[in-house]
PDB file of all heavy atoms in Angstrom:
ATOM      1  N   ILE K 285     129.480 -10.145 148.068  1.00  0.00           N
ATOM      2  CA  ILE K 285     129.100  -9.422 149.283  1.00  0.00           C
ATOM      3  C   ILE K 285     128.940 -10.390 150.454  1.00  0.00           C
ATOM      4  O   ILE K 285     129.424 -10.126 151.563  1.00  0.00           O
ATOM      5  CB  ILE K 285     127.794  -8.632 149.053  1.00  0.00           C
ATOM      6  CG1 ILE K 285     127.992  -7.590 147.949  1.00  0.00           C
ATOM      7  CG2 ILE K 285     127.336  -7.967 150.350  1.00  0.00           C
ATOM      8  CD1 ILE K 285     126.723  -6.910 147.489  1.00  0.00           C
ATOM      9  N   LEU K 286     128.290 -11.542 150.203  1.00  0.00           N
ATOM     10  CA  LEU K 286     128.045 -12.488 151.289  1.00  0.00           C
ATOM     11  C   LEU K 286     129.324 -13.149 151.785  1.00  0.00           C
ATOM     12  O   LEU K 286     129.356 -13.686 152.906  1.00  0.00           O
ATOM     13  CB  LEU K 286     127.039 -13.555 150.856  1.00  0.00           C
ATOM     14  CG  LEU K 286     125.602 -13.077 150.604  1.00  0.00           C
ATOM     15  CD1 LEU K 286     124.669 -14.267 150.413  1.00  0.00           C
ATOM     16  CD2 LEU K 286     125.102 -12.197 151.746  1.00  0.00           C
ATOM     17  N   GLN K 287     130.378 -13.118 150.998  1.00  0.00           N
ATOM     18  CA  GLN K 287     131.655 -13.670 151.458  1.00  0.00           C
ATOM     19  C   GLN K 287     132.167 -12.965 152.707  1.00  0.00           C
ATOM     20  O   GLN K 287     133.012 -13.499 153.431  1.00  0.00           O
ATOM     21  CB  GLN K 287     132.691 -13.576 150.332  1.00  0.00           C
ATOM     22  CG  GLN K 287     132.511 -14.646 149.266  1.00  0.00           C
ATOM     23  CD  GLN K 287     133.446 -14.458 148.084  1.00  0.00           C
ATOM     24  OE1 GLN K 287     133.852 -13.329 147.775  1.00  0.00           O
ATOM     25  NE2 GLN K 287     133.782 -15.543 147.406  1.00  0.00           N
ATOM     26  N   GLN K 288     131.637 -11.778 152.969  1.00  0.00           N
ATOM     27  CA  GLN K 288     132.033 -11.041 154.168  1.00  0.00           C
ATOM     28  C   GLN K 288     131.383 -11.597 155.438  1.00  0.00           C
ATOM     29  O   GLN K 288     131.791 -11.236 156.548  1.00  0.00           O
ATOM     30  CB  GLN K 288     131.628  -9.570 154.027  1.00  0.00           C
ATOM     31  CG  GLN K 288     132.139  -8.874 152.788  1.00  0.00           C
ATOM     32  CD  GLN K 288     131.468  -7.521 152.587  1.00  0.00           C
ATOM     33  OE1 GLN K 288     131.169  -6.816 153.548  1.00  0.00           O
ATOM     34  NE2 GLN K 288     131.225  -7.165 151.339  1.00  0.00           N
ATOM     35  N   ALA K 289     130.371 -12.450 155.272  1.00  0.00           N
ATOM     36  CA  ALA K 289     129.605 -12.938 156.427  1.00  0.00           C
ATOM     37  C   ALA K 289     130.443 -13.892 157.271  1.00  0.00           C
ATOM     38  O   ALA K 289     131.137 -14.762 156.728  1.00  0.00           O
ATOM     39  CB  ALA K 289     128.332 -13.630 155.957  1.00  0.00           C
ATOM     40  N   PRO K 290     130.369 -13.762 158.588  1.00  0.00           N
ATOM     41  CA  PRO K 290     131.105 -14.701 159.457  1.00  0.00           C
ATOM     42  C   PRO K 290     130.500 -16.099 159.392  1.00  0.00           C
ATOM     43  O   PRO K 290     129.280 -16.270 159.410  1.00  0.00           O
ATOM     44  CB  PRO K 290     130.922 -14.090 160.855  1.00  0.00           C
ATOM     45  CG  PRO K 290     129.648 -13.297 160.754  1.00  0.00           C
ATOM     46  CD  PRO K 290     129.604 -12.763 159.355  1.00  0.00           C
ATOM     47  N   ILE K 292     130.231 -18.242 157.011  1.00  0.00           N
ATOM     48  CA  ILE K 292     129.573 -18.706 155.785  1.00  0.00           C
ATOM     49  C   ILE K 292     130.543 -19.522 154.927  1.00  0.00           C
ATOM     50  O   ILE K 292     131.755 -19.284 154.921  1.00  0.00           O
ATOM     51  CB  ILE K 292     129.014 -17.518 154.968  1.00  0.00           C
ATOM     52  CG1 ILE K 292     127.988 -17.995 153.930  1.00  0.00           C
ATOM     53  CG2 ILE K 292     130.144 -16.754 154.282  1.00  0.00           C
ATOM     54  CD1 ILE K 292     127.226 -16.856 153.250  1.00  0.00           C
ATOM     55  N   PHE K 321     118.934 -18.142 161.560  1.00  0.00           N
ATOM     56  CA  PHE K 321     118.916 -17.233 160.411  1.00  0.00           C
ATOM     57  C   PHE K 321     117.532 -17.206 159.775  1.00  0.00           C
ATOM     58  O   PHE K 321     116.995 -16.127 159.464  1.00  0.00           O
ATOM     59  CB  PHE K 321     119.967 -17.662 159.381  1.00  0.00           C
ATOM     60  CG  PHE K 321     119.797 -16.997 158.043  1.00  0.00           C
ATOM     61  CD1 PHE K 321     120.296 -15.725 157.832  1.00  0.00           C
ATOM     62  CD2 PHE K 321     119.129 -17.634 157.012  1.00  0.00           C
ATOM     63  CE1 PHE K 321     120.123 -15.096 156.606  1.00  0.00           C
ATOM     64  CE2 PHE K 321     118.954 -17.022 155.775  1.00  0.00           C
ATOM     65  CZ  PHE K 321     119.450 -15.742 155.579  1.00  0.00           C
ATOM     66  N   MET K 325     115.088 -13.923 159.306  1.00  0.00           N
ATOM     67  CA  MET K 325     114.578 -13.478 158.002  1.00  0.00           C
ATOM     68  C   MET K 325     113.052 -13.453 157.977  1.00  0.00           C
ATOM     69  O   MET K 325     112.435 -12.555 157.391  1.00  0.00           O
ATOM     70  CB  MET K 325     115.133 -14.389 156.899  1.00  0.00           C
ATOM     71  CG  MET K 325     116.642 -14.287 156.706  1.00  0.00           C
ATOM     72  SD  MET K 325     117.180 -12.709 155.995  1.00  0.00           S
ATOM     73  CE  MET K 325     116.737 -12.978 154.263  1.00  0.00           C
ATOM     74  N   LYS K 403     119.414  -6.587 149.090  1.00  0.00           N
ATOM     75  CA  LYS K 403     119.096  -7.942 149.544  1.00  0.00           C
ATOM     76  C   LYS K 403     120.282  -8.568 150.270  1.00  0.00           C
ATOM     77  O   LYS K 403     120.122  -9.244 151.289  1.00  0.00           O
ATOM     78  CB  LYS K 403     118.666  -8.799 148.348  1.00  0.00           C
ATOM     79  CG  LYS K 403     117.324  -8.384 147.750  1.00  0.00           C
ATOM     80  CD  LYS K 403     116.968  -9.191 146.524  1.00  0.00           C
ATOM     81  CE  LYS K 403     115.657  -8.698 145.918  1.00  0.00           C
ATOM     82  NZ  LYS K 403     114.515  -8.865 146.834  1.00  0.00           N
ATOM     83  N   ALA K 404     121.472  -8.323 149.745  1.00  0.00           N
ATOM     84  CA  ALA K 404     122.679  -8.848 150.389  1.00  0.00           C
ATOM     85  C   ALA K 404     122.846  -8.261 151.782  1.00  0.00           C
ATOM     86  O   ALA K 404     123.245  -8.963 152.720  1.00  0.00           O
ATOM     87  CB  ALA K 404     123.897  -8.547 149.527  1.00  0.00           C
ATOM     88  N   ALA K 405     122.547  -6.980 151.929  1.00  0.00           N
ATOM     89  CA  ALA K 405     122.699  -6.325 153.233  1.00  0.00           C
ATOM     90  C   ALA K 405     121.756  -6.934 154.268  1.00  0.00           C
ATOM     91  O   ALA K 405     122.132  -7.125 155.436  1.00  0.00           O
ATOM     92  CB  ALA K 405     122.441  -4.828 153.092  1.00  0.00           C
ATOM     93  N   ILE K 406     120.550  -7.272 153.848  1.00  0.00           N
ATOM     94  CA  ILE K 406     119.581  -7.885 154.764  1.00  0.00           C
ATOM     95  C   ILE K 406     120.066  -9.271 155.191  1.00  0.00           C
ATOM     96  O   ILE K 406     120.042  -9.622 156.378  1.00  0.00           O
ATOM     97  CB  ILE K 406     118.195  -7.970 154.098  1.00  0.00           C
ATOM     98  CG1 ILE K 406     117.633  -6.563 153.873  1.00  0.00           C
ATOM     99  CG2 ILE K 406     117.240  -8.805 154.949  1.00  0.00           C
ATOM    100  CD1 ILE K 406     116.377  -6.533 153.017  1.00  0.00           C
ATOM    101  N   ILE K 407     120.514 -10.067 154.223  1.00  0.00           N
ATOM    102  CA  ILE K 407     121.026 -11.407 154.532  1.00  0.00           C
ATOM    103  C   ILE K 407     122.257 -11.301 155.424  1.00  0.00           C
ATOM    104  O   ILE K 407     122.391 -12.020 156.423  1.00  0.00           O
ATOM    105  CB  ILE K 407     121.350 -12.173 153.232  1.00  0.00           C
ATOM    106  CG1 ILE K 407     120.077 -12.418 152.419  1.00  0.00           C
ATOM    107  CG2 ILE K 407     122.048 -13.498 153.544  1.00  0.00           C
ATOM    108  CD1 ILE K 407     120.323 -12.988 151.024  1.00  0.00           C
ATOM    109  N   LEU K 408     123.148 -10.402 155.075  1.00  0.00           N
ATOM    110  CA  LEU K 408     124.380 -10.224 155.829  1.00  0.00           C
ATOM    111  C   LEU K 408     124.078  -9.819 157.272  1.00  0.00           C
ATOM    112  O   LEU K 408     124.684 -10.341 158.232  1.00  0.00           O
ATOM    113  CB  LEU K 408     125.242  -9.164 155.146  1.00  0.00           C
ATOM    114  CG  LEU K 408     126.733  -9.098 155.469  1.00  0.00           C
ATOM    115  CD1 LEU K 408     127.417 -10.423 155.184  1.00  0.00           C
ATOM    116  CD2 LEU K 408     127.383  -7.976 154.645  1.00  0.00           C
ATOM    117  N   GLY K 409     123.123  -8.917 157.441  1.00  0.00           N
ATOM    118  CA  GLY K 409     122.756  -8.487 158.778  1.00  0.00           C
ATOM    119  C   GLY K 409     122.190  -9.613 159.612  1.00  0.00           C
ATOM    120  O   GLY K 409     122.517  -9.739 160.807  1.00  0.00           O
ATOM    121  N   ALA K 410     121.344 -10.452 158.990  1.00  0.00           N
ATOM    122  CA  ALA K 410     120.753 -11.569 159.717  1.00  0.00           C
ATOM    123  C   ALA K 410     121.828 -12.599 160.126  1.00  0.00           C
ATOM    124  O   ALA K 410     121.801 -13.137 161.230  1.00  0.00           O
ATOM    125  CB  ALA K 410     119.683 -12.228 158.873  1.00  0.00           C
ATOM    126  N   ILE K 411     122.772 -12.855 159.217  1.00  0.00           N
ATOM    127  CA  ILE K 411     123.845 -13.801 159.537  1.00  0.00           C
ATOM    128  C   ILE K 411     124.697 -13.271 160.691  1.00  0.00           C
ATOM    129  O   ILE K 411     125.013 -14.011 161.636  1.00  0.00           O
ATOM    130  CB  ILE K 411     124.724 -14.075 158.304  1.00  0.00           C
ATOM    131  CG1 ILE K 411     123.916 -14.798 157.210  1.00  0.00           C
ATOM    132  CG2 ILE K 411     125.935 -14.915 158.690  1.00  0.00           C
ATOM    133  CD1 ILE K 411     124.682 -14.987 155.910  1.00  0.00           C
ATOM    134  N   ARG K 412     125.072 -12.018 160.621  1.00  0.00           N
ATOM    135  CA  ARG K 412     125.911 -11.437 161.670  1.00  0.00           C
ATOM    136  C   ARG K 412     125.212 -11.490 163.035  1.00  0.00           C
ATOM    137  O   ARG K 412     125.846 -11.740 164.059  1.00  0.00           O
ATOM    138  CB  ARG K 412     126.280 -10.006 161.297  1.00  0.00           C
ATOM    139  CG  ARG K 412     127.363  -9.948 160.227  1.00  0.00           C
ATOM    140  CD  ARG K 412     127.639  -8.533 159.769  1.00  0.00           C
ATOM    141  NE  ARG K 412     128.831  -8.489 158.887  1.00  0.00           N
ATOM    142  CZ  ARG K 412     129.069  -7.519 158.030  1.00  0.00           C
ATOM    143  NH1 ARG K 412     128.222  -6.499 157.926  1.00  0.00           N
ATOM    144  NH2 ARG K 412     130.151  -7.554 157.284  1.00  0.00           N
ATOM    145  N   LYS K 413     123.906 -11.294 163.013  1.00  0.00           N
ATOM    146  CA  LYS K 413     123.161 -11.311 164.264  1.00  0.00           C
ATOM    147  C   LYS K 413     123.164 -12.714 164.894  1.00  0.00           C
ATOM    148  O   LYS K 413     123.407 -12.855 166.083  1.00  0.00           O
ATOM    149  CB  LYS K 413     121.728 -10.834 164.030  1.00  0.00           C
ATOM    150  CG  LYS K 413     120.927 -10.685 165.307  1.00  0.00           C
ATOM    151  CD  LYS K 413     119.594 -10.023 165.041  1.00  0.00           C
ATOM    152  CE  LYS K 413     118.807  -9.841 166.342  1.00  0.00           C
ATOM    153  NZ  LYS K 413     117.505  -9.178 166.098  1.00  0.00           N
TER     154      LYS K 413
END
Side-chain angles (χ1 to χ4, degrees):
I285 298 171
L286 293 190
Q287 283 174 332
Q288 305 169 36
I292 197 170
F321 166 82
M325 294 290 283
K403 292 177 183 297
I406 294 170
I407 296 172
L408 199 57
I411 295 175
R412 284 175 171 158
K413 186 172 182 179

